């Protein structure tokens, strides 16, 4: 029985990259000691705009398993977003729409292979929960920042 983690991660990344002007999507947390290098990892030029910080990281926060007739694995992914904040361009609206679009992208998906974009322990919840939206400073750059929790339930097949 092989882990489906990499397949699930690739599917999440592909779905994020399908969103128009989402920015740069990394399928793991990016780290560096130098702020300029960190910011360069998220440099993006949106359609008709100028270069800015606009990017996302995907990582898995936790995974729990249980057996209810069959084995299930409950993945909790975190999608972290960064976007340059520029008050005169009302970037908060753009960032909020990107956050909502991410949630909408995963909300109505059914079964994908052997997993569901749904919290199997609490199926009435939407798979995406927005835990944080706030301004943060990275290096000397003021950015919008968000953390979106994405719940995925995997049916473990023998």
């Amino acid at each position: 029985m092989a882990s489906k983690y990499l397949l699930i991660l690739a599917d999440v990344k592909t779905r994020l990259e399908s969103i128009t002007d989402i920015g740069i999507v990394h399928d793991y947390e990016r780290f560096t000691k130098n702020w300029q290098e960190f910011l360069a990892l998220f440099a993006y030029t949106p359609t008709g705009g100028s270069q800015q910080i606009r990017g996302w990281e995907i990582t898995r926060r936790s995974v729990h398993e249980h057996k209810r007739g069959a084995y299930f694995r409950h993945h909790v992914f975190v999608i972290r977003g960064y976007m340059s904040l520029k008050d005169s361009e009302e970037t908060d609206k753009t960032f909020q729409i990107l956050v909502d679009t991410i949630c909408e992208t995963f909300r109505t998906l059914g079964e994908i292979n052997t997993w569901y974009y749904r919290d199997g322990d609490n199926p009435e919840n939407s798979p995406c929960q927005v835990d944080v939206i706030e301004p943060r400073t990275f290096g000397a750059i003021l950015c919008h920042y968000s953390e979106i929790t994405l719940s995925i339930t995997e049916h473990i097949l023998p």
Side-chain angles (χ1 to χ4, degrees), residues 8-22:
I8 294 169
L9 179 63
D11 191 63
V12 171
K13 182 179 184 194
T14 298
R15 291 176 191 285
L16 288 174
E17 290 176 330
S18 74
I19 298 171
T20 303
D21 278 331
I22 191 69

Side-chain angles (χ1 to χ4, degrees), residues 7-88:
L7 293 173
I8 294 169
L9 179 63
D11 191 63
V12 171
K13 182 179 184 194
T14 298
R15 291 176 191 285
L16 288 174
E17 290 176 330
S18 74
I19 298 171
T20 303
D21 278 331
I22 191 69
I24 306 297
V25 179
H26 298 281
D27 60 0
Y28 63 99
E29 287 182 284
R30 303 304 307 259
F31 293 100
T32 179
K33 293 179 184 179
N34 179 302
W35 279 114
Q36 292 305 319
E37 290 174 14
F38 180 79
L39 295 172
L41 293 170
F42 298 96
Y44 178 78
T45 304
T47 305
S50 56
Q51 190 178 59
Q52 62 180 216
I53 303 304
R54 188 184 290 204
W56 305 84
E57 298 172 317
I58 309 163
T59 190
R60 186 170 64 172
R61 176 182 293 160
S62 64
V63 59
H64 303 253
E65 289 188 22
H66 64 73
K67 182 177 181 187
R68 291 193 183 132
Y71 285 98
F72 292 91
R73 182 177 290 139
H74 300 280
H75 303 267
V76 178
F77 282 81
V78 177
I79 302 168
R80 290 186 182 94
Y82 311 89
M83 191 178 102
S84 299
L85 191 157
K86 192 167 184 182
D87 183 69
S88 63

Side-chain angles (χ1 to χ4, degrees), residues 62-119:
S62 64
V63 59
H64 303 253
E65 289 188 22
H66 64 73
K67 182 177 181 187
R68 291 193 183 132
Y71 285 98
F72 292 91
R73 182 177 290 139
H74 300 280
H75 303 267
V76 178
F77 282 81
V78 177
I79 302 168
R80 290 186 182 94
Y82 311 89
M83 191 178 102
S84 299
L85 191 157
K86 192 167 184 182
D87 183 69
S88 63
E89 294 181 10
E90 301 178 353
T91 56
D92 183 62
K93 294 176 184 177
T94 301
F95 190 71
Q96 296 284 354
I97 290 168
L98 285 172
V99 168
D100 285 352
T101 303
I102 290 170
C103 293
E104 291 165 5
T105 297
F106 293 98
R107 182 180 303 125
T108 59
L109 295 174
E111 183 175 0
I112 308 295
N113 199 343
T114 59
W115 64 86
Y116 298 82
Y117 285 98
R118 183 78 48 216
D119 180 347

